[in-house]
Amino acid sequence: MAARRPCIAVLTGGGDCPGLNAVIRAVVKAALRLGYDCIGFLRGYEGLVDPVSYMPLDRQNTAEILLRGGTILGSTNKGRFTALVGEGERVRIDPELLSQAADTLRRLSVTGLVCVGGDGSLSIAQQLHEHGLPVVGVPKTIDNDLGSTAFTFGFDSAVATATDALDRLHTTAASHERVMVLEVMGRHAGWIALHAGIAGGGDVILIPEIPWSFAAVCHQVRAREAEGRRSTLVVVAEGAQWPGGGLVHDTPAGEKRQVRLGGIGERVAAELTQRLDREVRTVVLGHLQRGGTPTPFDRMLATQFGAHAVALVHEGRFGEMVRYRPPHIEGVPIADAIRELSVVDPASSAVRAARALGVSFGDETAAGCGAAAEG
Ligand code: F6P
């Protein structure tokens, strides 16, 4: 009987994003060339434990997935493996589950497991690593909020979708002389709002990293009107703090996962309608930001991440995550990457450039605006 070839496994955890399939394809192509067989666990970490579920991966079944959104392996951000709950509180995974996962890898002769995920999924990967499992990480999320890497794949595609939405909102807002509010995703980081807000010519950008007030937002709308600009686009990140404090979310009580943000766009629009006595409309972009074809940048990044993850396995560098540190793709301990979220620096050149162009972040204290902390 022919000797069994060593095997590299891959799984995709947490919320999906464009580029996951590009990583899977890259892992498979690179691994096969180094003499490994490949399998993919299904539905994230759930596939590792009873009932164990996986599929063989080869050149045929990964041949046309480079540009396909979602993940052919499926994913879940619920389930038995949970390392983060609430607003980022860390919890330990049941050791029995970790041992079951270890048994599965042993039984299937898995040399290395590539875990593709955001902070929640990589926190699980870290616990698997601490339990002695041979894991490497690949950073994915539209939110771009993972530490240690300049970009996660998925972010560029989400920004492209949000920018396209703003492009479209400009024309309808101008026709009806309306204030329009676009709510975008991003969890506790304002990366999508900032990048799409600038790329799409937003007039107000509200992000979690900069406390803002309705007085300043109204001032911006009125100042534009005084210049003859009768429409205004407001981009608000789902994780922006409500003036005076607090997040807007609708997480059912007792849910064993991170809070589900969303709803701030409608509330901002309602408040602006009252304060400005103007027609205000809201668009919540939601999961459109997560679906569809990855941009060329995301395909490129995902492909490099996948190939480099295989190299980490081949070199036995377990417990590391691939990262983009321009111009290099390299390894970094997963523990470092999940230690702190990457958030927008209010003093960054992007924020300063936007301010220089007259974009409001809702924190201006010019005459008539009131203080930023005021509601
Ligand atoms: O982390 C990615 C993300 O899309 C966030 O931007 C958003 O808050 C969350 O996931 C939504 O998750 P769900 O899949 O539970 O709707």
Side-chain angles (χ1 to χ4, degrees), residues 14-16 77 119 140-143 145 184-187 192 238 255 257-262 286-287 289-290:
D16 72 339
N77 46 16
D119 63 333
K140 89 59 256 213
T141 169
I142 63 165
D143 306 335
D145 61 353
V184 298
M185 284 184 164
R187 293 199 64 78
I192 299 177
E238 63 176 2
E255 190 158 305
R257 51 176 290 189
Q258 292 184 281
V259 291
R260 195 162 68 210
L261 297 169
H287 295 80
Q289 293 157 101
R290 295 225 311 242

Side-chain angles (χ1 to χ4, degrees), residues 43-329:
R43 299 190 70 241
Y45 292 95
E46 289 294 298
L48 286 169
V49 290
D50 193 29
V52 172
S53 50
Y54 66 93
M55 63 188 272
L57 293 171
D58 54 34
R59 289 294 297 272
Q60 278 70 43
N61 61 14
T62 56
E64 282 162 23
I65 63 171
L66 174 61
L67 63 161
R68 199 188 303 168
T71 161
I72 59 166
L73 299 176
S75 189
T76 178
N77 46 16
K78 291 187 169 168
R80 291 166 284 179
F81 289 85
T82 301
L84 291 180
V85 294
E87 289 173 33
E89 182 197 333
R90 294 188 186 282
V91 291
R92 298 304 300 177
I93 298 166
D94 179 359
E96 172 56 23
L97 270 184
L98 299 174
S99 298
Q100 277 183 34
D103 284 349
T104 302
L105 295 193
R106 250 192 314 274
R107 202 161 38 76
L108 297 173
S109 308
V110 172
T111 309
L113 171 64
V114 179
C115 302
V116 190
D119 63 333
S121 302
L122 290 172
S123 299
I124 298 170
Q126 175 61 20
Q127 290 196 38
L128 292 175
H129 169 63
E130 288 164 11
H131 200 79
L133 279 73
V135 302
V136 303
V138 173
K140 89 59 256 213
T141 169
I142 63 165
D143 306 335
N144 200 40
D145 61 353
L146 266 164
S148 304
T149 183
F151 291 107
T152 54
F153 72 88
F155 172 64
D156 188 61
S157 304
V159 169
T161 299
T163 303
D164 178 60
L166 283 167
D167 293 346
R168 291 165 191 273
L169 289 178
H170 270 294
T171 58
T172 176
S175 305
H176 291 269
E177 301 190 341
R178 276 175 175 155
V179 175
M180 305 226 40
V181 179
L182 177 69
E183 177 185 312
V184 298
M185 284 184 164
R187 293 199 64 78
H188 305 294
W191 292 112
I192 299 177
L194 177 67
H195 283 229
I198 293 174
D203 308 300
V204 179
I205 301 174
L206 305 175
I207 58 177
E209 296 85 348
I210 302 180
W212 56 277
S213 73
F214 278 106
V217 175
C218 292
H219 178 78
Q220 170 80 339
V221 175
R222 291 197 187 100
R224 288 175 53 75
E225 281 177 4
E227 288 172 359
R229 318 290 300 269
R230 297 279 307 158
S231 63
T232 294
L233 294 192
V234 178
V235 185
V236 59
E238 63 176 2
Q241 297 273 336
W242 190 253
L247 293 166
V248 180
H249 67 88
D250 69 343
T251 313
E255 190 158 305
K256 194 181 159 230
R257 51 176 290 189
Q258 292 184 281
V259 291
R260 195 162 68 210
L261 297 169
I264 194 168
E266 283 293 351
R267 286 188 57 187
V268 167
E271 188 77 26
L272 291 180
T273 304
Q274 264 201 354
R275 291 186 181 232
L276 293 165
D277 194 24
R278 289 276 312 271
E279 275 205 313
V280 184
R281 296 286 191 269
T282 320
V283 173
V284 181
L285 213 42
H287 295 80
L288 288 175
Q289 293 157 101
R290 295 225 311 242
T293 302
T295 58
F297 179 86
D298 276 340
R299 292 182 210 184
M300 169 74 176
L301 191 60
T303 299
Q304 291 188 76
F305 279 171
H308 201 83
V310 169
L312 289 183
V313 171
H314 198 57
E315 292 163 22
R317 290 168 59 185
F318 300 117
E320 291 193 30
M321 178 193 94
V322 297
R323 68 151 161 200
Y324 179 36
R325 193 158 166 249
H328 303 293
I329 304 287

